[in-house]
Amino acid sequence: MARRRRRSSAKNWMFVAVLACGAGLSWWVFLTADRSVEATASRSLAARPILSASLQDSVPSPENPAKKAEPGSNEESKPPSNPNPPPSTESRPQQEVPSVPAPVSNASRITSLVVSAEEALSRNELIAARMRYQEAYDLQPQEPIRSRVRGELIRLGGETVLSPRIFENDSLTATYVLQPGDSLAKVAAQFKVTPDLLAALNGIADKNLVRAGQTIKVIQGPFSAMADKRAFLLEVYLDKTLVTEFKVGLGADGSTPTGKWQVSGKLVNPTYYPPRGGQIIAADDAKNPLGERWIGLVGIEGNAIGQERYGIHGTIEPGSIGKSTSMGCIRLKNEDVERLYMYLVEKHSTVTVK
């Protein structure tokens, strides 16, 4: 009986030893596995910030713009890849682009012309000054330059064209030696002006009495006129050069037709025939509204075509000048219409209303 207990006791100790070995082996395996997991996790966490930084550098965003390579780094020497690189221009010769002068504005051109005209005046070169002023006026300067230039043109027109003075280099005027059989009327017709104007320019008291061999000043006509309805002005031109102007009265309610007119007939001390019917007023009657001169007009262009009952005349109402009160005709002060009467010629002179 005692021998059996010893065997049982030995078996029990062997069983306990096996269990202890198994438990120790399991604990060793557990510790080894746990350390391996920690090492793997540590490597993963360490690698994640590097990947994040790499993505931030390669994908620009408003918060993380792309960074430039540091000088001297490998990235600086590597150009970005381009699937469609531009063609090389190293061997292509550079073509010279022709230079185009900048356009000159009207204001600059007008200023230059006015300065040039004033310089010509300082040298007493009246014809050159007149030409420069006319070029500036044609460019339609703004006020107050426009009024200044127009005033100089009218002053120079009076001195160079509408006076006895003769200028050798003036294309608007000339000299003429009267031939046997000549008359002022014949010479005036040749130059498309009036004999009254030639007599006034040359101090000839009787236009019917001239002598052969006499040298006179003549004008290269014809004159023309331009009426501005907004300004109530009638400008007189000679070969596109402004030489004088007059204030005018016009038709009420815009009744003066715009367009181009031709001078048709001229009368001194005209009789008044009311266009809408009524009492005829004799030439010398103080109530005659036409004054001392009548310049008939025939419409040839624009709204004036076909019109024949309009004209330019004097007035017994000087206060109406600068206003729209007439029945459609253009009226001037009596002293002004007498001057205009000397300038305009039948069938050659024209009047444009704008």
Side-chain angles (χ1 to χ4, degrees):
M1 292 298 289
R3 193 177 286 178
R4 285 181 181 176
R5 288 176 181 172
R6 288 175 181 175
R7 289 178 180 174
S8 177
S9 179
K11 289 179 181 180
N12 289 336
W13 279 106
M14 289 179 64
F15 178 72
V16 171
V18 170
L19 287 177
C21 290
L25 179 61
S26 298
W27 180 253
W28 180 84
V29 172
F30 175 78
L31 290 176
T32 304
D34 186 56
R35 290 173 182 175
S36 176
V37 171
E38 288 181 357
T40 302
S42 299
R43 288 194 299 269
S44 177
L45 290 172
R48 187 172 299 170
I50 298 175
L51 177 61
S52 177
S54 176
L55 287 173
Q56 290 173 3
D57 289 346
S58 61
V59 182
S61 68
E63 294 79 13
N64 299 297
K67 297 178 180 179
K68 296 182 180 179
E70 293 295 329
S73 66
N74 291 335
E75 293 179 2
E76 186 181 30
S77 61
K78 294 179 180 179
S81 59
N82 187 352
N84 298 309
S88 175
T89 58
E90 293 181 358
S91 60
R92 184 182 302 171
Q94 295 292 332
Q95 295 182 354
E96 294 185 0
V97 179
S99 60
V100 179
V104 179
S105 66
N106 269 9
S108 299
R109 179 63 176 158
I110 290 168
T111 300
S112 176
L113 288 168
V114 171
V115 170
S116 178
E118 291 175 347
E119 291 175 349
L121 283 178
S122 68
R123 300 188 297 268
N124 202 33
E125 298 174 357
L126 302 189
I127 305 305
R130 190 187 69 196
M131 293 174 62
R132 297 290 86 78
Y133 278 128
Q134 186 61 53
E135 288 184 64
Y137 196 64
D138 290 340
L139 294 175
Q140 300 181 356
Q142 299 296 318
E143 296 292 350
I145 300 299
R146 180 177 176 82
S147 295
R148 174 184 172 186
V149 171
R150 185 175 65 242
E152 288 297 322
L153 281 170
I154 292 171
R155 182 180 68 81
L156 290 170
E159 291 187 28
T160 62
V161 176
L162 305 176
S163 75
R165 296 182 64 184
I166 297 175
F167 297 84
E168 294 182 357
N169 59 340
D170 189 0
S171 63
L172 302 183
T173 64
T175 57
Y176 179 83
V177 179
L178 293 172
Q179 303 298 313
D182 275 343
S183 64
L184 280 187
K186 182 179 178 180
V187 175
Q190 178 181 341
F191 289 95
K192 297 181 176 62
V193 292
T194 66
D196 291 330
L197 178 58
L198 294 183
L201 289 177
N202 293 281
I204 299 175
D206 189 345
K207 61 183 179 182
N208 297 315
L209 296 176
V210 294
R211 57 180 177 81
Q214 182 180 354
T215 300
I216 63 173
K217 177 181 179 177
V218 294
I219 292 177
Q220 307 279 6
F223 287 90
S224 62
M226 176 82 70
D228 188 335
K229 295 179 70 172
R230 290 179 298 182
F232 293 96
L233 278 178
L234 187 137
E235 298 177 330
V236 179
Y237 288 82
L238 182 61
D239 190 26
K240 300 180 181 180
T241 298
L242 177 63
V243 293
T244 192
E245 69 178 9
F246 302 102
K247 291 289 291 184
V248 299
L250 299 169
D253 302 319
S255 57
T256 302
T258 59
K260 192 172 185 178
W261 306 77
Q262 185 179 66
V263 175
S264 57
K266 299 168 63 180
L267 295 173
V268 177
N269 295 329
T271 299
Y272 177 64
Y273 297 89
R276 299 174 186 175
Q279 182 180 359
I280 299 174
I281 302 177
D284 295 327
D285 194 319
K287 297 179 181 180
N288 189 322
L290 301 183
E292 300 297 322
R293 298 288 186 276
W294 168 265
I295 303 170
L297 300 174
V298 174
I300 57 176
E301 289 183 12
N303 295 330
I305 289 181
Q307 303 285 353
E308 297 182 353
R309 303 183 68 178
Y310 291 87
I312 303 173
H313 59 79
T315 181
I316 57 174
E317 300 176 1
S320 65
I321 302 303
K323 300 178 182 179
S324 298
T325 58
S326 76
M327 294 184 183
C329 290
I330 301 173
R331 59 175 62 174
L332 288 77
K333 293 180 179 179
N334 288 329
E335 58 270 27
D336 290 341
V337 77
E338 289 179 10
R339 290 174 55 200
L340 183 65
Y341 193 91
M342 289 195 301
Y343 304 150
L344 302 185
V345 179
E346 296 179 39
K347 300 182 180 180
H348 295 292
S349 294
T350 60
V351 178
T352 301
V353 179
K354 66 175 184 178

